[in-house]
Amino acid sequence: MTGVPASTGGGTGKPVPGGKLGAAAVNQASLWNIANILTMVRLVLVPGFVFLMLQDGGYDPVWRAWAWAAFAVAMITDIFDGHLARTYNLVTDFGKIADPIADKAIMASGLICLSALGDLPWWVTGVVLFRELGITLMRFWVIRHGVIPASRGGKLKTLAQGTAVGMYVLALTGPLATMRFWVMAVAVLLTVITGLDYVRQAIVMRRRGLAKARGAVGGGR
């Protein structure tokens, strides 16, 4: 969130009447930036995707193609909103909360729909969702000690998951149907490996944070 420039009062540096109200208005307006709009589009696409996916029993190739299009747009907006927010300083509190929710919602809806239709084993959906929920809780566990940055493995995991789910959403046959099995296998493997690595980093970060806190207390005696 950008905040309010010091020259809000016309460059005089003097406070303007209703300054707090003006600041609140500017901060509120800053929520409506392109990054947050893309995040909101992704959130809206979730129920739309589920609706398209389950039309005519969930097995009509045409409806599945439309569902894939909605899923693909959602994944593309996931790439661009974060990049735009970081590049143009459009990071807001809303974006920090809504972006990961939108990411997990579209992926979870795809996996659950596929398992409900019998296209994907429930254990695959369970592994992915357990990992995502567990990492979210882990973030809250170590948040006061620091933030673990996104790793290259995590980005590859997201790409593999999105590609695999997208291939399963489409009514593929022949070699492509076989290929999507292996893409999903890679996605599940990356999901487990990156999840375990995140747990390791979180434990190390928490231990260091606690040690630093004990050192600060001991040094202040």
Side-chain angles (χ1 to χ4, degrees):
M1 197 170 292
T2 58
V4 185
S7 59
T8 303
T12 63
K14 297 179 181 180
V16 296
K20 292 184 178 180
L21 181 60
V26 172
N27 286 336
Q28 184 63 27
S30 68
L31 292 175
W32 294 96
N33 60 61
I34 184 62
N36 285 346
I37 290 173
L38 288 176
T39 298
M40 287 185 278
V41 167
R42 193 155 73 258
L43 284 168
V44 171
L45 282 172
V46 173
F49 164 78
V50 173
F51 173 79
L52 293 169
M53 188 70 181
L54 299 181
Q55 284 298 299
D56 287 345
Y59 298 104
D60 186 284
V62 176
W63 285 110
R64 293 282 285 256
W66 282 108
W68 176 87
F71 183 83
V73 170
M75 297 305 295
I76 291 171
T77 62
D78 179 31
I79 296 173
F80 282 103
D81 62 359
H83 174 73
L84 290 171
R86 292 187 297 271
T87 303
Y88 298 101
N89 194 27
L90 301 176
V91 178
T92 63
D93 291 338
F94 170 81
K96 292 177 183 178
I97 296 172
D99 183 66
I101 291 176
D103 297 345
K104 291 174 176 56
I106 188 65
M107 187 60 65
S109 63
L111 290 166
I112 291 172
C113 283
L114 289 170
S115 292
L117 292 171
D119 294 339
L120 192 67
W122 275 107
W123 71 264
V124 173
T125 296
V127 167
V128 175
L129 296 186
F130 178 79
R131 187 268 191 196
E132 298 302 330
L133 177 60
I135 296 306
T136 299
L137 296 176
M138 189 75 67
R139 285 195 178 100
F140 286 107
W141 185 52
V142 300
I143 189 67
R144 66 190 182 97
H145 302 296
V147 177
I148 300 175
S151 65
R152 182 174 298 179
K155 294 176 182 178
L156 286 175
K157 178 268 302 180
T158 301
L159 177 62
Q161 285 182 355
T163 303
V165 171
M167 292 180 74
Y168 269 88
V169 168
L170 287 172
L172 300 178
T173 57
L176 288 177
T178 303
M179 183 185 298
R180 69 184 181 182
F181 168 83
W182 292 108
V183 175
M184 181 61 76
V186 171
V188 172
L189 184 62
L190 288 173
T191 296
V192 174
I193 292 175
T194 56
L196 293 174
D197 182 62
Y198 195 101
V199 171
R200 180 191 63 79
Q201 293 184 65
I203 292 173
V204 170
M205 179 176 288
R206 186 170 186 273
R207 286 176 177 172
R208 288 176 179 172
L210 293 175
K212 185 181 293 186
R214 285 194 295 267
V217 172
R221 291 179 180 174

